[in-house]
Amino acid sequence: METLAMHISNGIIDGPVAALFAAVALAAMTFCVLRGRRDLDDRLAPMAGLVAAFIFAVQMLNFPIFTAGVSGHLLGGALAAMLVGPWVGALCLAVVLVVQALVFGDGGVAMLGLNITNMAVLGTAAAYLLIALLLRVLPRTPAGLGVTAFVSALLSVVVAAMGFVFQYWLGGTTDLGGNLGGLAGTMAGVHLLIGVGEGLITATTVVTVAKVRPDLVYALRGLRPASAPTVPAVGGVR
């Protein structure tokens, strides 16, 4: 069952591929730092710390996937993207993954680049692209925000899982005998179920925050609808 874990352990992917994705992760995090500095202000900076702490805490709670005999937990890409944006959100996920690997041994230290690429980069990017799309067509009501959070979280988990399949295709240390499609199907099926749990947690959290403090939801601030055209004053009426 180790190949079904999103936190890749040492030895599952060979060294050259792990080094390649370490470079990819480092480049992506550098870019996120540069872009995220534009977003950080007195409101977003403390929010980023709270989001990272919340994701770290919730990731410790596993929920069982009875049909697959495994358990899943929140990845947090969609949650971070909605609350603090894609750039700062990816950095929050990366910090959580580093702490988990170094302190709790959750995921191999040599595999950090792979795990950061899958969960912090791919998961957050896929979630935010879908968030940007859905918030243009769905009403910005609690129901619309909840649907957006649920769908984007579900997709982000599956995309992160497919990132692992691609990495295993490049440098998996166990020969699958040409059954990469079977691995992809298993990963997609299991993480689709995990994504349902992720979606429920994300939707509940985001809607709760939006009802109390909508100004703290980055997706509502950063993805504003196009403003209505200005009507010129006619006959003294503005």
Side-chain angles (χ1 to χ4, degrees), residues 57-79:
V58 177
Q59 280 196 2
M60 295 298 180
L61 305 176
N62 287 352
F63 48 88
I65 307 298
F66 297 107
T67 58
V70 296
S71 63
H73 63 72
L74 180 84
L75 297 187
L79 177 63

Side-chain angles (χ1 to χ4, degrees), residues 120-147:
V121 179
L122 293 179
T124 304
Y128 194 73
L129 289 175
L130 191 56
I131 290 166
L133 175 64
L134 291 177
L135 285 182
R136 293 181 183 277
V137 297
L138 293 177
R140 300 194 175 202
T141 61
L145 197 63
V147 171

Side-chain angles (χ1 to χ4, degrees), residues 1 12 14-15 28 41 43 50-52 54 76 82 96 107 110 147 167 180 183 209 220 232 238:
M1 305 305 292
I12 292 180
D14 64 27
D41 53 23
R43 175 173 48 188
L50 291 174
V51 167
F54 179 77
M82 292 205 74
V96 170
V147 171
Q167 292 162 351
L180 187 68
L183 174 63
V209 174
L220 295 180
R238 294 186 181 275

Side-chain angles (χ1 to χ4, degrees), residues 18-218:
L20 170 64
F21 280 94
V24 171
L26 180 60
M29 291 301 102
T30 301
F31 184 74
C32 287
V33 168
L34 296 176
R35 291 297 301 266
R37 290 174 62 183
R38 304 177 186 178
D39 295 333
L40 283 176
D41 53 23
D42 293 340
R43 175 173 48 188
L44 190 61
M47 189 65 179
L50 291 174
V51 167
F54 179 77
I55 291 174
F56 180 83
V58 177
Q59 280 196 2
M60 295 298 180
L61 305 176
N62 287 352
F63 48 88
I65 307 298
F66 297 107
T67 58
V70 296
S71 63
H73 63 72
L74 180 84
L75 297 187
L79 177 63
M82 292 205 74
L83 294 180
V84 296
W87 318 115
V88 177
L91 292 171
C92 289
L93 262 292
V95 170
V96 170
L97 292 172
V98 169
V99 172
Q100 287 180 336
L102 295 178
V103 179
F104 297 97
D106 198 355
V109 174
M111 303 291 113
L112 261 177
L114 299 162
N115 288 320
I116 289 175
T117 299
N118 292 339
M119 290 181 273
V121 179
L122 293 179
T124 304
Y128 194 73
L129 289 175
L130 191 56
I131 290 166
L133 175 64
L134 291 177
L135 285 182
R136 293 181 183 277
V137 297
L138 293 177
R140 300 194 175 202
T141 61
L145 197 63
V147 171
T148 299
F150 179 86
V151 175
S152 61
L154 177 63
L155 176 70
S156 70
V157 173
V158 177
V159 169
M162 292 303 99
F164 167 75
V165 173
F166 175 70
Q167 292 162 351
Y168 200 88
W169 175 68
L170 291 178
T173 56
T174 301
D175 185 10
L176 297 178
N179 193 27
L180 187 68
L183 174 63
T186 302
M187 289 289 291
V190 170
H191 287 86
L192 188 64
L193 296 175
I194 294 174
V196 172
E198 171 116 3
L200 293 174
I201 295 172
T202 301
T204 302
T205 305
V206 171
V207 170
T208 301
V209 174
K211 286 182 176 180
V212 179
R213 290 287 302 273
D215 59 304
L216 295 181
V217 180
Y218 179 94

